[in-house]
Amino acid sequence: MNITALPALALDGLLCRCPRCHSGPIFARGFTIREACVICGLLFESASGEATGGMGINIVITLLLVIIAAGIGGFNTAIPLPVFFAVMGAVTIIFPILFYKPSRSLWVGFLYLMGDHAEGD
Ligand SMILES: [Zn+2]
């Protein structure tokens, strides 16, 4: 594991780019992930079920965001409680949808870092 590659892999993941060539788009259109990179041929999710890793990243980051926002907004008495719950509910629903593609791409980068991109089912 090359620890110095982590910032580049994180940036590639957030920008939904291939972790090997740093330019190939991971998603074809919408939420459909490509089978392999169009530039370097890297398999993005070679085994079935690997999408769960990206979902795990999405859930953890969303929960951290909600806990931090609840910690900050929950102690602020100037915010009316219905507004607070409405905003928290909206963030809890909208953020995971917006973060879906980067979280899947971060998982692709993690698989690449671990060398788990070459084997299929
Ligand atoms: Zn590539």
Side-chain angles (χ1 to χ4, degrees):
M1 186 169 107
N2 184 1
I3 199 92
T4 57
L6 284 177
L9 285 176
L11 182 64
D12 288 335
L14 293 174
L15 296 175
C16 303
R17 297 186 309 206
C18 171
R20 184 158 68 188
C21 68
H22 310 289
S23 59
I26 290 179
F27 285 87
R29 68 190 307 208
F31 291 111
T32 305
I33 195 166
R34 293 180 194 273
E35 198 169 299
C37 178
V38 293
I39 295 173
C40 70
L42 175 73
L43 291 176
F44 289 140
E45 288 182 346
S46 57
S48 62
E50 287 183 349
T52 54
M55 288 185 230
I57 291 173
N58 201 337
I59 290 168
V60 168
I61 298 296
T62 301
L63 281 175
L64 288 175
L65 182 71
V66 167
I67 289 169
I68 291 169
I72 293 170
F75 291 108
N76 188 344
T77 55
I79 302 172
L81 209 51
V83 171
F84 173 72
F85 282 121
V87 170
M88 291 300 293
V91 167
T92 305
I93 292 169
I94 294 169
F95 180 78
I97 296 169
L98 296 176
F99 193 60
Y100 176 80
K101 289 166 75 171
S103 64
R104 295 276 306 268
S105 300
L106 285 168
W107 184 249
V108 168
F110 176 77
L111 291 175
Y112 177 70
L113 185 68
M114 294 293 132
D116 192 35
H117 59 280
E119 299 175 17
D121 278 335

